[in-house]
Amino acid sequence: MAGSALRRLIAEYKQLMSNPPEGILAGPSTEENFFEWEALIVGPEGTCFEGGVFPAKLSFPADYPLSPPKMQFTCEMFHPNIYTDGRVCISILHAPGDDPMGYESSSERWSPVQSVEKILLSVVSMLAEPNDESGANVDAAKMWREDRKQFEKIADKLVRKSLGIPA
Amino acid sequence: MSHIDIQELFDESRFPSGWKLLLVLLYAPIGVALLLSRLLICFLIWLLATLLPDFRVLRTFLNRAIFFALGIIIKICPNGEKRDEQTRIVVANSISAIDDFVLTTVSNTVMPTTTNLPESLKSALGLRKMDMSNKDSLIADIKQYLPTSKNGVALQPEFSTTNSRKALLKFNTWPFSIEPAVQPVVLTASRPELINIRLTSVASTWWTDIMWFMFVPYTIFTVKFLHVKRNTEADILVREVEKDIARVLKIETSSHTVSDKTEFEKRYILEKIHNRGPQNTTGNGSPIVASAEMQRMARQVSEVLPLVPQNVILRDLLKTRNVDITIANFLDGVVTYTPEPTASTSTPGSSRASINSTSKGSVSLKKSKNDVYLTFAERKQKMIVEARERYMLKHGLKNC
């Protein structure tokens, strides 16, 4: 299976390099290991993360694309759906299963027809519109709901930090 | 939340090891006889429930009969709190396929379900049909149900079982957003020391779990009610209740959710099939095995290349008889195909973002022509520099 995982990753990387989506860059950290990727995500325009360039790493399992990769921001982040250690909590990174209480619909879940590009695009829209129901970071979720001003302030500080501009 | 390996939360096998396993084997003939007679009782219960109209006495009778059929004894922990009837939502940890039944007996609650059992049987089991197509309509249904009924609603925010020895699954928040107060309940179960078969195991189905209930002589459920917890902030309430229940069970809380569990189970099954694989292919001569093998290989290819139509994959596999070569053939364009339509595959979550990216498609395509010869590291550098310039321009900053 590792052979087909590798082929699929190479195919996705080729696709991302030849036709990169706006504001997203992703590829293997080193040519030797195609199962560890780095990604840069530009904060979408008109949101509080506008303009920031946020680095993240993606780790692919040996049975990719049967199982989804794991994604973790390697910079400081403050967002309702990102754990304080940078791990991203988003439905497309979870495989569908019987979700008895209909917590997430399975169309938003991971399946082999998804791709790295779709994950990253979902993360971009997650940055734009946090889902305050699945709280990976409770403090951030609360602030997003109740004190948007303060949230925007913190977000802008993170944007500057990611660009290396002193606040 | 410490880092707990997800596999510690579940038992790979429901059987004890060593000499205790021998005891189980010796007991097996009695167990099977017990199982068969209890299955007969279950059949009678089902027959009664479908034939007779729904009335109170029948419900009580069915409830008792199920106790008997599954060999369940319920004990209420004497040093716990009392059931507070004012608190309508009961929240419990999840240990078996019949928790709903135990909870309804001790706390007068129902649990939402989608199954289509006869009404009397459902209420004997503590189930109630509700709209579970999504979270919001279920919450609305529960809110509508509570004022019209004397019963409360029991919810298990783990939404799946654990072995209750290491940690709880992460509680979902929404069960705590229905009412500001909930009564936590801790469920534990034990079976006779000598025939100690566990309640459940990795990737087992509810009906196998129930079969084992009928196999063992009896199962004792101990129910402990805890102090009612109140907080209007569901986010805080959920974590408090989670901690309380974990403390009583003397286990930890974890960040693994129910979807992590299903993923883990899927991987577990996959590994099992994989390990069994080589034995299956030994009789490769017969045409039936070959075609099953071919189907399996075709599935592997379409997992990697979901857009290639199944018949095209099969045609190439017939020639190559090798997954990797076939994948390479498609990727390198040796074999051409018409991609299957992709409209249904776009996710609602990303659709907005994809529209954005396609509208700017022409721009990025032009840009990419120039970028094609840059290495990945150079592209990264370029992206950061450009973003930095844009930011400084927008905010009127000087170079710093």
Side-chain angles (χ1 to χ4, degrees), chain A residues 16 22 40 46 51 63 71 98 107-108 112 125 149 152 158 166:
Chain A
L16 277 169
E22 188 79 14
L40 288 182
D63 62 350
M71 181 167 176
D98 35 334
S107 59
E108 308 166 46
S125 59
K149 275 255 155 60
E152 281 164 4
L158 294 175

Side-chain angles (χ1 to χ4, degrees), chain B residues 3 53 96 107 135 145 155 213-214 353 365:
Chain B
H3 280 278
S96 76
S107 66
K135 188 174 54 176
Y145 171 73
L155 294 166
F213 267 100
M214 298 188 209
L365 209 64

Side-chain angles (χ1 to χ4, degrees), chain B residues 11 14 70-77 92-103 156 161-165 185-193 195-200 209 212-213 216 218-224 248-249 251:
Chain B
D11 293 315
R14 66 176 78 235
L70 298 181
I72 295 169
I73 300 165
I74 298 185
K75 284 186 179 161
I76 295 189
C77 186
N93 58 318
S94 180
I95 56 172
S96 76
I98 56 160
D99 292 348
D100 48 335
F101 174 63
V102 176
L103 286 169
Q156 297 179 293
T161 56
T162 64
N163 61 16
S164 325
R165 285 202 309 275
V185 175
V186 177
L187 295 177
T188 46
S190 63
R191 282 178 173 164
E193 193 49 42
I195 305 153
N196 203 352
I197 295 172
R198 292 182 182 127
L199 294 181
T200 183
D209 285 355
W212 288 110
F213 267 100
V216 298
Y218 59 86
T219 309
I220 301 177
F221 276 88
T222 312
V223 182
K224 184 173 185 179
V248 174
L249 285 167
I251 60 178

Side-chain angles (χ1 to χ4, degrees), chain B residues 273-322:
Chain B
I273 295 171
H274 213 66
N275 292 343
R276 223 185 290 145
Q279 291 156 14
N280 277 353
T281 52
T282 45
N284 217 343
S286 76
I288 299 160
V289 174
S291 87
E293 179 68 10
M294 206 56 95
Q295 294 286 346
R296 190 184 62 81
M297 287 181 2
R299 252 200 319 276
Q300 269 186 352
V301 175
S302 65
E303 272 150 8
V304 178
L305 302 164
L307 298 184
V308 183
Q310 196 75 12
N311 57 346
V312 182
I313 293 176
L314 276 171
R315 204 181 309 143
D316 194 61
L317 272 175
L318 277 173
K319 274 184 257 164
T320 63
R321 304 212 161 242
N322 181 310

Side-chain angles (χ1 to χ4, degrees), chain A residues 1 8 17 19 27 38 42 50 53 65-67 100-101 103 112-114 125 133 145 156 160 163-164, chain B residues 132 135 159 172 233 235 263 266-267 300 303-304 306 347 349 365 376 379-380 383 387-388 391 394:
Chain A
M1 274 310 276
R8 159 94 176 225
M17 286 295 261
N19 195 2
E38 270 176 24
V42 178
E50 173 171 344
V53 179
L66 276 187
S67 300
M101 294 301 183
Y103 187 55
V113 298
Q114 308 285 18
S125 59
E133 280 168 12
R145 263 201 315 267
D156 189 55
R160 280 167 178 256
L163 297 171
Chain B
M132 284 167 71
K135 188 174 54 176
F159 296 134
N172 243 320
E233 283 281 344
D235 290 339
E263 219 172 295
K266 193 189 68 183
R267 210 166 291 182
Q300 269 186 352
E303 272 150 8
V304 178
T347 66
L365 209 64
F376 183 59
R379 287 188 196 215
K380 274 195 317 199
M383 195 168 192
R388 204 180 135 99
Y391 187 92
K394 179 158 183 184

Side-chain angles (χ1 to χ4, degrees), chain B residues 108-396:
Chain B
N108 251 331
T109 51
V110 294
M111 212 179 265
T113 181
T114 49
T115 49
N116 265 325
L117 290 170
E119 201 54 46
S120 53
L121 193 56
K122 250 189 298 188
S123 68
L125 283 168
L127 295 172
R128 189 186 156 79
K129 193 166 178 158
M130 291 195 188
D131 178 6
M132 284 167 71
S133 54
N134 66 57
K135 188 174 54 176
D136 295 321
S137 53
L138 179 59
I139 292 178
D141 250 19
I142 293 176
K143 281 188 172 157
Q144 205 172 19
Y145 171 73
L146 284 176
T148 60
S149 165
K150 267 195 242 156
N151 296 338
V153 170
L155 294 166
Q156 297 179 293
E158 289 177 285
F159 296 134
S160 196
T161 56
T162 64
N163 61 16
S164 325
R165 285 202 309 275
K166 187 69 194 175
L168 295 169
L169 288 174
K170 188 180 178 188
F171 278 22
N172 243 320
T173 309
W174 71 258
F176 298 85
S177 62
I178 303 167
E179 292 221 326
V182 300
Q183 181 159 36
V185 175
V186 177
L187 295 177
T188 46
S190 63
R191 282 178 173 164
E193 193 49 42
L194 295 178
I195 305 153
N196 203 352
I197 295 172
R198 292 182 182 127
L199 294 181
T200 183
S201 63
V202 176
S204 84
T205 53
W206 63 267
W207 55 269
T208 39
D209 285 355
I210 296 222
M211 294 286 210
W212 288 110
F213 267 100
M214 298 188 209
F215 177 86
V216 298
Y218 59 86
T219 309
I220 301 177
F221 276 88
T222 312
V223 182
K224 184 173 185 179
F225 288 104
L226 307 184
H227 262 303
V228 174
K229 280 267 169 193
R230 257 172 252 278
N231 201 320
T232 43
E233 283 281 344
D235 290 339
I236 298 168
L237 187 61
V238 57
R239 297 284 89 88
E240 282 179 353
V241 171
E242 191 177 39
K243 262 191 210 134
D244 275 6
I245 293 182
R247 198 183 306 126
V248 174
L249 285 167
K250 298 197 180 66
I251 60 178
E252 294 174 66
T253 56
S254 79
S255 55
H256 301 296
T257 61
V258 59
S259 33
D260 291 329
K261 180 184 173 183
T262 36
E263 219 172 295
F264 170 74
E265 289 190 323
K266 193 189 68 183
R267 210 166 291 182
Y268 177 83
I269 295 168
L270 208 76
E271 260 167 40
K272 249 187 161 174
I273 295 171
H274 213 66
N275 292 343
R276 223 185 290 145
Q279 291 156 14
N280 277 353
T281 52
T282 45
N284 217 343
S286 76
I288 299 160
V289 174
S291 87
E293 179 68 10
M294 206 56 95
Q295 294 286 346
R296 190 184 62 81
M297 287 181 2
R299 252 200 319 276
Q300 269 186 352
V301 175
S302 65
E303 272 150 8
V304 178
L305 302 164
L307 298 184
V308 183
Q310 196 75 12
N311 57 346
V312 182
I313 293 176
L314 276 171
R315 204 181 309 143
D316 194 61
L317 272 175
L318 277 173
K319 274 184 257 164
T320 63
R321 304 212 161 242
N322 181 310
V323 174
D324 284 331
I325 295 177
T326 296
I327 292 173
N329 282 348
F330 289 123
L331 286 181
D332 302 341
V334 176
V335 179
T336 51
Y337 61 91
T338 346
E340 283 185 349
T342 57
S344 59
T345 61
S346 77
T347 66
S350 66
S351 57
R352 204 181 49 83
S354 351
I355 291 163
N356 274 348
S357 71
T358 43
S359 64
K360 287 172 188 161
S362 55
V363 184
S364 60
L365 209 64
K366 237 181 272 158
K367 204 175 73 188
S368 73
K369 290 254 164 65
N370 304 329
D371 284 357
V372 139
Y373 300 107
L374 295 178
T375 65
F376 183 59
E378 284 164 346
R379 287 188 196 215
K380 274 195 317 199
Q381 197 54 39
K382 192 163 169 249
M383 195 168 192
I384 295 172
V385 169
E386 282 176 359
R388 204 180 135 99
E389 279 167 6
R390 265 202 312 274
Y391 187 92
M392 290 201 290
L393 198 71
K394 179 158 183 184
H395 294 259

